[in-house]
Amino acid sequence: MVNRAGLMGDMANIYLNPSVLNTNWDELPQIISQIKADSDFVHLDVMDNKFVPNQTFTFERAKEIISKSTLPVDAHLMIIDPDEMAPKYAKAGAASVTVHLEAVKDFARTINEIRINGAKVGVALKPKTQLVDVIPYLPDLDLLLIMTVEPGFGGQSFMEDQVAKIRAARFEIEKLNLQILLQVDGGITKETIKIAKDAGANCFVAGNAVFKSENPNETLQQLRAIASI
Ligand code: DX5
Ligand code: ZN
């Protein structure tokens, strides 16, 4: 298992977290090894066909992926029972566990249980969820994920109407002097990564832009260069 210590310590950096949603899951250890040099985390989309209209990994399968991954795993839980499941992902070795604000019931208890099991705590907002709903919890987070598509599928278009939310989130994070990652997920390409970065994001999930390109490593290098300007 990868060492989870020290992650997210350097806020001057930008983070690139490729999403393996639209790849061949039978080859995940190899795919992860291939992108390792150009990635910070691997983003794992867990869907239960209830919170979103799509299904991906069971917990058992995710556990196996986490144990074999040579990159730290950024687990994005799009499930209806994060209070029960998120601590299990932390215990299984995920570096960060992100739960949807719309699905969490006991926020304080769940984030505490993620943390005591050794993972960083993330909270995600669907496009229609207002930023104001998460502001009281910001000081307790390591990562705030602003979805830039409706969760459920890779390959959708970046929702420009979320840019104002990214900008407002950056403003609140600075105002409170917090060291949390501001992650964007959905439709990130060589064009949209710049828009998200300029609005204040510093952690970028990209699926199709990376894995449907001819050379995923080269694409990751280009994305990093664009987001670093
Ligand atoms: C969508 C997932 C995303 C998805 C991103 O619900 O959370 O992580 O894989 O894929 P692209 O970059 O293709 O939009
Ligand atoms: Zn995701």
Side-chain angles (χ1 to χ4, degrees):
M1 189 192 298
V2 293
N3 179 12
R4 293 184 287 180
L7 292 167
M8 301 183 190
D10 180 2
M11 287 300 129
N13 276 341
I14 65 128
Y15 290 77
L16 265 190
N17 302 4
S19 160
V20 290
L21 180 61
N22 287 351
T23 66
N24 180 354
W25 300 338
D26 293 334
E27 293 175 4
L28 279 181
Q30 300 91 299
I31 291 170
I32 293 170
S33 297
Q34 193 206 325
I35 57 161
K36 182 173 160 49
D38 298 303
S39 310
D40 296 287
F41 296 76
V42 58
H43 182 87
L44 195 66
D45 289 302
V46 178
M47 306 185 188
D48 64 357
N49 208 19
K50 293 178 184 128
F51 184 73
V52 289
N54 193 4
Q55 189 148 14
T56 57
F57 311 103
T58 60
F59 174 65
E60 288 309 315
R61 184 81 170 93
K63 206 159 90 171
E64 191 192 331
I65 295 165
I66 293 166
S67 73
K68 289 186 182 161
S69 176
T70 46
L71 273 171
V73 173
D74 164 29
H76 176 193
L77 306 187
M78 289 160 274
I79 57 176
I80 55 166
D81 50 358
D83 300 84
E84 184 194 336
M85 296 309 296
K88 295 187 182 172
Y89 279 85
K91 206 174 282 181
S96 62
V97 181
T98 297
V99 295
H100 268 268
L101 186 65
E102 304 85 3
V104 180
K105 291 173 193 77
D106 189 341
F107 192 84
R109 186 170 151 267
T110 297
I111 63 166
N112 184 46
E113 295 218 345
I114 293 172
R115 228 185 266 294
I116 59 175
N117 283 295
K120 302 287 183 186
V121 176
V123 167
L125 304 183
K126 288 166 82 171
K128 288 191 191 77
T129 304
Q130 303 289 314
L131 182 69
V132 68
D133 297 345
V134 81
I135 286 177
Y137 307 119
L138 282 183
D140 303 316
L141 304 183
D142 300 300
L143 182 157
L144 174 63
L145 166 53
I146 309 282
M147 290 300 300
T148 43
V149 297
E150 284 296 340
F153 300 93
Q156 303 181 76
S157 297
F158 180 84
M159 293 170 67
E160 296 262 358
D161 63 0
Q162 296 303 300
V163 173
K165 197 196 283 181
I166 301 168
R167 201 173 290 121
R170 171 54 62 197
F171 178 81
E172 294 297 333
I173 290 167
E174 300 290 318
K175 194 170 80 184
L176 297 168
N177 199 19
L178 300 172
Q179 300 282 302
I180 74 178
L181 289 185
L182 183 53
Q183 185 179 70
V184 284
D185 181 9
I188 295 296
T189 63
K190 287 181 216 166
E191 286 73 43
T192 59
I193 197 168
K194 178 88 178 101
I195 300 170
K197 179 210 165 206
D198 287 346
N202 61 351
C203 181
F204 307 89
V205 176
N208 277 26
V210 173
F211 291 107
K212 302 292 172 200
S213 74
E214 246 167 59
N215 186 333
N217 288 77
E218 200 176 279
T219 302
L220 284 164
Q221 289 159 20
Q222 290 165 348
L223 287 169
R224 191 180 297 279
I226 297 166
S228 302
I229 295 170

